[in-house]
Amino acid sequence: MKADRPKHIGARVQRFEDTRLLSGSARYIDDIRLPDMLHLSFVRADTAHANIVEIDTSALADLEYATWVFTGKDTAGLSMKAHQDYPEMQYSEQPLLAEGKVRFVGEPVAVVLAEDAYRAEDAAELVFVDYETLPVIGTMAQARDSSLPSLFDGWASNVIVQRQMKGGDLEAAKAAAAHVIKRTYSTQRQAGVPMECRGVVASYDHADRVLTVWSSTQMPHLVRTYISEELDLPESRIRVVAPDVGGGFGVKGQVFGDEVLVAWLAMKTGRPVKWIEDRREHLIASIHARDHQHTLEAYVSADGRLLGLKADITVDNGAYSTFPFTSAGEPGMVGKVLPGPYDFQAYEATFRAVATNKCAIGTYRGVARPSAVFSQERLMDDIAKELGMDPFDFRLKNIIRQFPYKNVLGFSYDEGSYAQSLEQMQALLAEDVTEAAASRSSSTKRVGVGIACFIEQTAHGTPDFTRRRVPIETGYIAARVEMSPDGEVTIDLGLQNHGQGLETTMAQVAADALGVNPENVYVRHGDTLTTPYSVGTWGSRGGALGGGAVHLASLKLAAKLKTIAAHLLQAKPDEIELANGNAYVRDAVQRFIPIRKLARAALRNVDQLPEGMQPGLEAEQRQDGPKDGTYSNAVHAAVVEIDIPTGKMKLRRFVVVEDCGTILNPLVVDGQVRGGVVQGIGSAMFEHFIYDAECQPLTTSFADYLMPLAPEIPNIEVHHIETPTPLTPLGAKGLGEGGAIGPAAAIANAVANALDVGVSCTPLNTNAIWKLSQHLRGAA
Amino acid sequence: MRPASFEYHRATSLEHALELLGEFGENGRPIAGGQSLVPMMNFRLARPGHLVDINRLPLDAIEIAGPVLRIGALTRHIAYFDNPWIARHFPAFLDAVHYIGHPTIRRNGSIGGSISHADPTAELPAISVLYDADIVARSVTGERRIKAQEFFLSAYVTALEPGEMVVAVEFPIPPAASTGSFIELGERSGDFATASIGISLEHGGGKIVRAAMVCCGADLFPMRAPEVEDFLVGKPLVNPSGAEAGCIFAASIDPVDDHIASADYRRGLIAELTHRAIEAACTRALDKS
């Protein structure tokens, strides 16, 4: 007889954390209320580039309530330093509060503290800042014009960093090409918009000399490290807590100057200090994303083989470099990932970040890849069109089919389902393709089908960060698994859960290894006091690396449980199986002992332990990423319907075929994919952060910054292929970002298909579609 | 994004509300659903020192009063969807309310609030202009009726005087042989309109006898289109030359240019929506007759 052994990994387990999150009982940063707390309001630059002549705070003295005010003079020397050790990169810092100069609208210039948040905001209005305005650097072209002044003293130009990556013989590829196709593509500047804005609370305990910082962050340990280094405090006396975080999407995956500043203010004033970011602050001054322009030149043989690719990439970085991914991160990522899922061996990319008087670019779901894939996949369609080939056929002709594949830059791709996912998508879209072709005869209503085929390097590990010389430095995720005397399990996880379902999926992983139910596993996270040092949740690594760490730590614990069980059941450890809360002797299930009795033996009735065994039931594991990461792949498809006279576009269908290796929980994967796709639809059609010529932001509220809304989103169909990777313990690849990477490309390709035009930029809003369809109205 | 300091007063009767508003003058604002005023206050674009809460006043009746349909200022947008008089007499009105915001806005927002806020692309101001409604305003010194066309002066600017409050909007009931339509296009459902067109027609003998048209997006307030109204008179319900009407109107306007839509696009869109609204109204007229 064999024990019935439920497998929790892969099961459709409803998310445990949803009970808390959906019933309104979650605790977010704004729910942190401490006695004697002061509230902070920022005075922010209202001009994009200026010398600060004077900051006059004298009006605050007339208020009938107490206020505290601080400027850059008080915080002089404290700054955000985010540099990558490339000789080509120009160094800059962002002071916590502007010192002498402001470089974008929204830059913190002063702070006012008061005993309630309303009064702090009232008082902040009374701070008068006299500026001497300077000409702005507002566009990529201005930033590359070396005759214009630089944003920082000592800089040679406003090109922050320019580098190159290459592989193979590009000249030979060009010489052999029958077709040379050159195109320029660009993606618009966006804000990253979690439902909950950011916020920081800090409190300093003078007795124990312990600083506690609550922050709505994805990376509490890195916040701790940065504060420690900047404020010169021992890390052992800093506790950083990320409470429930209402969405992060990478926006909260950087350390911000305000986190250091609020901590400093709590120490300085001796009172707890709270800052809750409002939506306007979030939109203008947290981070921006996606502002890219790529010029690509493809060399293609007469029979439709991609021979080589040349790329020139510019990212409008804004004024400052963000920690820890820096302004070199975004362009570098494009250079690295542009070869994509296609088989060619000649490549050269020149990529640069330029400085402008705008909010800094930071990481936002997909990080450079939505822009890279937009260009890559628009190019594939443009080439196919030039060659008179079907977009599927052209891709299938060039897709990588042999694994592991060493790409033109030397990166090794583990096995994926590139061709299979394309073929599956082709079958799913057959009817839409026919309908789209039939709509060509109409000058009023057109249907278009577009696809985006891409891979995503996920689960980056330490080797990848070392290679990139990025100050994140390390990539491992740690997990500590502990069983208490009653047999209940606690996981202290180095990840922070802000929507990923980690409290459920990590419990599923541990449950399988330990033979308990996921309901008996409590996942703790987001608090540096309880969780082992890790770099946080970002970069599509939670499932792959966090899951791996939990799995291996749980196996260590399981081994000890089996040894104890074997001792008590008079069997051999390798005969023991753990399932359903019991330890069984394999093939003799009547011989069993409840796991909780083993736990009790390990921790309380220790006289029952085998001779020489140490009491205790805990295990820890750090899981780093593989050298080149592990590559997820997906094909996205959009079917659009366009009303030619008005330019109104309806997204009729959005289909995803994705492969993230082993699926830990299909509900969670579907949710991650769908959420990402919605954000990708935002990139494709709606979201655009706009500055005018003076770098004044025009889209500073949700009235002007348009997020995708539910009525505009079709049912998103998700199909899975599972190709487990040998590179992570569970075979899982990363999937958190993929959903956001494909939609802009797929929708743009659908528009190009519907209107029979080239599409070179996003957002494809109604006005843009109307302009792109001009030629069809002319004919009507 | 926190409002500046203000004092809150709950009005216990209309007289009480008017007294308070009279006392506060420009420094006082009535508040009903707060769907426009509260965001403006949070951005500190509006800084009333006193808010007079009128939510408990009995001002939410929709009633036939002789030749007009009188809609109390506190009527919430949700009330129009199943109102038989709106459906029977004001088809463009019923079309328009489907474009108003989202469920929360529809449940809380009031006609008095929407009219007084005077967003240049809001539906109810446009509908009141289309149907030649009277805005009934009252203050401690008495009541006056302001023609909708004279009420909306510019974006967020109305003919209301300090201390005055909208208490009702009166829509003249059109003759039996009439119909209408309203079409709007925004970037997303529930958004501020990029442009909208409302049409109201009287018809007889298969022809248009009288026409009214309103447009949002062409100017800073909902504007009538007299040249189209004249053009349409005498046109057959079957093929009423809507496209031509659209071109005539588009040539006469200088639309708003912003980051959502260029002036060129708005002009093209307004021409097309004019065409469609006329076609839709005429189709309804034919269906009815």
Side-chain angles (χ1 to χ4, degrees):
Chain A
M1 191 180 159
K2 212 172 152 38
D4 174 31
R5 178 151 197 197
K7 195 168 171 335
H8 300 294
I9 293 175
R12 302 175 72 83
V13 179
Q14 296 271 355
R15 302 200 320 174
F16 302 146
E17 52 266 57
D18 284 347
T19 311
R20 174 176 91 248
L21 297 172
L22 300 180
S23 67
S25 47
R27 273 185 304 257
Y28 297 98
I29 186 72
D30 201 16
D31 297 318
I32 309 289
R33 286 171 195 140
L34 304 175
D36 300 325
M37 192 160 70
L38 296 176
H39 296 262
L40 182 158
S41 186
F42 278 103
V43 177
R44 294 179 179 275
D46 55 13
T47 181
H49 197 197
N51 291 319
I52 298 172
V53 180
E54 191 201 351
I55 301 175
D56 179 359
T57 62
S58 57
L60 300 188
D62 300 335
L63 293 170
E64 77 275 21
Y65 52 87
T67 57
W68 292 253
V69 61
F70 298 89
T71 69
K73 283 192 177 125
D74 302 298
T75 56
L78 297 177
S79 65
M80 294 307 296
K81 303 162 183 76
H83 191 66
Q84 231 154 309
D85 188 22
Y86 296 128
E88 308 92 331
M89 186 165 174
Q90 304 195 88
Y91 185 83
S92 69
E93 295 178 10
Q94 178 174 7
L96 297 190
L97 294 170
E99 292 174 28
K101 206 176 217 189
V102 295
R103 294 183 180 85
F104 73 100
V105 171
E107 180 167 358
V109 173
V111 288
V112 177
L113 309 180
E115 284 175 335
D116 86 51
Y118 288 79
R119 285 182 159 168
E121 196 161 326
D122 288 348
E125 280 190 318
L126 301 175
V127 175
F128 173 75
V129 186
D130 186 14
Y131 294 108
E132 176 191 44
T133 59
L134 300 167
V136 299
I137 302 295
T139 62
M140 291 181 191
Q142 286 169 355
R144 294 184 67 184
D145 179 347
S146 54
S147 73
L148 295 175
S150 300
L151 257 57
F152 292 90
D153 296 339
W155 275 20
S157 75
N158 285 309
V159 176
I160 305 167
V161 57
Q162 175 166 319
R163 300 181 61 236
Q164 214 173 47
M165 284 183 194
K166 53 181 150 186
D169 188 343
L170 198 65
E171 285 310 310
K174 190 173 184 177
H179 306 271
V180 176
I181 291 115
K182 184 174 179 179
R183 296 281 189 278
T184 295
Y185 304 105
S186 58
T187 48
Q188 80 279 19
R189 178 170 280 253
Q190 277 185 244
V193 186
M195 200 184 289
E196 182 204 28
C197 293
R198 298 179 45 254
V200 188
V201 179
S203 172
Y204 185 66
D205 180 337
H206 284 271
D208 290 336
R209 290 186 292 121
V210 170
L211 173 71
T212 306
V213 178
W214 292 262
S215 180
S216 187
T217 179
Q218 298 170 223
M219 36 174 57
H221 286 98
L222 284 192
V223 171
R224 189 182 80 182
T225 297
Y226 198 96
I227 289 174
S228 155
E229 290 176 359
E230 198 60 22
L231 299 185
D232 198 20
L233 297 169
E235 281 203 60
S236 58
R237 292 188 189 265
I238 304 174
R239 175 186 182 191
V240 176
V241 185
D244 278 318
V245 171
F249 309 121
V251 177
K252 298 174 183 174
Q254 30 242 317
V255 180
F256 287 86
D258 44 58
E259 291 170 315
V260 184
L261 180 66
V262 172
W264 181 83
L265 287 165
M267 296 180 71
K268 187 88 182 164
T269 60
R271 309 253 309 248
V273 174
K274 180 182 203 172
W275 169 64
I276 300 298
E277 182 184 58
D278 67 33
R279 186 61 69 186
R280 180 172 182 277
E281 291 180 293
H282 181 79
L283 287 171
I284 67 172
S286 55
I287 59 101
H288 286 170
R290 312 268 193 267
D291 198 346
H292 290 220
Q293 188 176 82
H294 307 156
T295 296
L296 306 183
E297 191 169 290
Y299 309 120
V300 186
S301 73
D303 66 342
R305 283 216 145 274
L306 194 54
L307 304 175
L309 179 66
K310 187 177 176 183
D312 184 89
I313 295 144
T314 306
V315 174
D316 179 346
N317 176 79
Y320 293 106
S321 186
T322 51
F323 184 91
F325 299 106
T326 87
S327 39
E330 187 90 1
M333 182 72 97
V334 185
K336 186 170 82 166
V337 306
L338 264 180
Y342 302 108
D343 178 17
F344 63 94
Q345 288 294 334
Y347 175 67
E348 180 187 305
T350 305
F351 46 89
R352 65 186 70 79
V354 299
T356 57
N357 290 111
K358 300 176 187 171
C359 177
I361 292 283
T363 52
Y364 171 49
R365 202 174 195 170
V367 192
R369 286 163 294 198
S371 300
V373 168
F374 176 78
S375 300
Q376 168 208 302
E377 288 299 275
R378 278 300 303 125
L379 182 68
M380 293 304 125
D381 267 25
D382 280 345
I383 298 171
K385 189 175 175 183
E386 184 124 338
L387 271 59
M389 287 180 76
D390 174 82
F392 276 106
D393 293 345
F394 176 71
R395 286 176 174 83
L396 282 166
K397 184 158 190 152
N398 287 286
I399 203 84
I400 293 164
R401 292 166 186 270
Q402 298 290 325
F403 299 98
Y405 176 86
K406 192 162 276 290
N407 91 349
V408 62
L409 293 171
F411 289 94
S412 178
Y413 298 173
D414 51 338
E415 189 172 354
S417 51
Y418 306 179
Q420 189 194 342
S421 54
L422 270 170
E423 282 158 0
Q424 186 173 338
M425 186 62 88
Q426 193 168 22
L428 286 164
L429 294 180
E431 282 179 26
D432 301 287
V433 169
T434 305
E435 192 187 347
S439 81
R440 287 301 163 278
S441 58
S442 172
S443 61
T444 54
K445 184 146 288 186
R446 288 283 181 94
V447 174
V449 178
I451 56 167
C453 173
F454 62 93
I455 55 173
E456 182 193 359
Q457 185 196 20
T458 67
H460 309 83
T462 303
D464 195 70
F465 299 122
T466 306
R467 193 163 47 212
R468 279 153 64 181
R469 298 185 232 177
V470 62
I472 189 97
E473 292 173 350
T474 190
Y476 65 84
I477 296 296
R480 188 168 53 232
V481 181
E482 187 178 347
M483 191 175 276
S484 46
D486 59 358
E488 295 285 312
V489 178
T490 305
I491 299 175
D492 284 321
L493 187 64
L495 295 164
Q496 201 283 336
N497 180 35
H498 47 280
Q500 290 81 358
L502 293 170
E503 291 167 43
T504 311
T505 51
M506 296 300 116
Q508 290 175 259
V509 170
D512 266 357
L514 292 169
V516 299
N517 288 319
E519 289 79 2
N520 299 109
V521 182
Y522 175 32
V523 179
R524 303 197 296 191
H525 59 86
D527 185 344
T528 61
L529 192 69
T530 53
T531 60
Y533 197 92
S534 298
V535 286
T537 305
W538 44 269
S540 300
R541 53 220 311 284
L545 302 185
V550 169
H551 174 67
L552 295 177
S554 301
L555 286 182
K556 286 184 197 169
L557 199 57
K560 185 162 184 181
L561 288 170
K562 286 178 180 177
T563 306
I564 300 168
H567 175 66
L568 295 176
L569 294 170
Q570 294 172 326
K572 294 193 189 111
D574 62 6
E575 290 173 331
I576 302 292
E577 279 199 23
L578 305 174
N580 300 326
N582 293 313
Y584 299 81
V585 179
R586 189 178 308 113
D587 303 325
V589 291
Q590 72 284 5
R591 290 169 63 198
F592 73 92
I593 183 167
I595 288 172
R596 68 183 149 75
K597 288 202 170 167
L598 301 177
R600 197 168 172 86
L603 290 150
R604 291 181 62 81
N605 308 130
V606 294
D607 57 317
Q608 295 177 8
L609 291 178
E611 202 178 317
M613 181 183 269
Q614 284 286 313
L617 278 174
E618 54 188 82
E620 198 161 321
Q621 179 75 29
R622 283 170 177 74
Q623 180 64 38
D624 211 331
K627 179 172 155 287
D628 288 348
T630 167
Y631 287 79
S632 299
N633 66 275
V635 179
H636 286 190
V639 180
V640 303
E641 180 184 304
I642 294 173
D643 180 40
I644 303 293
T646 61
K648 189 76 183 168
M649 172 159 76
K650 186 181 168 203
L651 197 48
R652 287 219 310 217
R653 212 179 155 196
F654 201 97
V655 191
V656 174
V657 177
E658 70 82 39
D659 187 341
C660 62
T662 303
I663 290 176
L664 302 184
N665 180 340
L667 289 176
V668 168
V669 171
D670 286 354
Q672 283 276 25
V673 170
R674 292 200 174 104
V677 165
V678 171
Q679 288 177 308
I681 291 171
S683 301
M685 295 172 64
F686 301 108
E687 295 183 48
H688 190 185
F689 196 92
I690 304 171
Y691 285 97
D692 71 8
E694 295 304 314
C695 287
Q696 280 292 335
L698 301 181
T699 48
T700 61
S701 79
F702 283 152
D704 294 307
Y705 188 84
L706 306 186
M707 298 295 294
L709 301 180
E712 278 65 56
I713 307 299
N715 175 38
I716 297 161
E717 304 161 43
V718 186
H719 304 268
H720 305 288
I721 300 172
E722 259 184 284
T723 311
T725 177
L727 303 178
T728 67
L730 293 165
K733 304 174 177 181
L735 82 323
E737 295 170 274
I741 293 176
I747 290 169
N749 281 340
V751 170
N753 175 247
L755 302 178
D756 200 20
V757 290
V759 174
S760 61
C761 60
T762 48
L764 294 162
N765 57 21
T766 314
N767 197 153
I769 299 287
W770 185 78
K771 267 177 92 171
L772 285 168
S773 51
Q774 200 95 48
H775 61 295
L776 299 173
R777 279 189 303 278
Chain B
M1 285 176 63
R2 291 185 178 84
S5 181
F6 62 88
E7 267 184 60
Y8 169 91
H9 311 264
R10 173 172 283 149
T12 52
S13 66
L14 181 55
E15 292 66 32
H16 183 211
L18 297 175
E19 247 169 59
L20 290 168
L21 290 170
E23 181 189 335
F24 304 135
E26 282 186 353
N27 200 21
R29 291 286 290 271
I31 183 163
Q35 297 300 297
S36 304
L37 182 56
V38 171
M40 301 277 279
M41 288 171 63
N42 285 344
F43 283 116
R44 301 195 171 202
L45 295 170
R47 293 168 173 256
H50 299 269
L51 283 187
V52 179
D53 183 346
I54 59 168
N55 278 301
R56 294 197 178 175
L57 306 188
L59 289 176
D60 61 350
I62 305 180
E63 59 203 355
I64 300 280
V68 303
L69 182 73
R70 183 182 162 95
I71 300 178
L74 275 179
T75 304
R76 314 290 165 168
H77 310 323
I78 193 93
Y80 308 123
F81 289 85
D82 55 2
N83 184 288
W85 296 317
I86 300 279
R88 186 182 318 149
H89 299 301
F90 301 98
F93 195 143
L94 187 58
D95 285 354
V97 296
H98 285 86
Y99 294 104
I100 298 179
H102 306 285
T104 309
I105 294 173
R106 292 177 185 178
R107 271 193 300 274
N108 291 289
S110 68
I111 191 167
S114 175
I115 296 276
S116 308
H117 181 59
D119 184 293
T121 61
E123 290 79 9
L124 294 178
I127 285 300
S128 69
V129 168
L130 176 69
Y131 283 113
D132 283 318
D134 280 342
I135 314 297
V136 185
R138 202 183 282 184
S139 69
V140 278
T141 57
E143 186 172 283
R144 61 174 180 139
R145 283 174 165 67
I146 310 161
K147 287 273 165 227
Q149 282 197 63
E150 289 151 23
F151 184 82
F152 301 102
L153 304 179
S154 185
Y156 314 107
V157 182
T158 70
L160 279 181
E161 297 288 340
E164 218 172 21
M165 180 183 112
V166 173
V167 292
V169 183
E170 292 181 348
F171 289 81
I173 295 171
S178 71
T179 187
S181 70
F182 186 94
I183 297 186
E184 174 175 319
L185 190 137
E187 211 48 37
R188 303 165 303 179
S189 67
D191 260 342
F192 297 104
T194 304
S196 61
I197 299 289
I199 295 283
S200 169
L201 298 177
E202 290 168 29
H203 53 89
K207 288 189 167 138
I208 297 170
V209 175
R210 199 192 77 85
M213 173 170 138
V214 69
C215 172
C216 290
D219 208 332
L220 296 177
F221 50 87
M223 68 184 285
R224 288 282 286 266
E227 47 292 68
V228 175
E229 295 172 359
D230 293 344
F231 171 84
L232 288 176
V233 173
K235 293 287 181 296
L237 294 174
V238 180
N239 192 12
S241 310
E244 199 183 328
C247 290
I248 290 170
F249 183 59
S252 74
I253 56 173
D254 183 16
V256 178
D257 190 302
D258 61 27
H259 65 274
I260 301 287
S262 67
D264 272 353
Y265 170 50
R266 273 212 174 78
R267 188 176 293 109
L269 179 63
I270 285 169
E272 179 64 21
L273 295 184
T274 302
H275 175 188
R276 288 184 186 185
I278 292 168
E279 294 283 349
C282 288
T283 303
R284 276 189 184 148
L286 288 166
D287 288 350
K288 248 170 107 175
S289 49

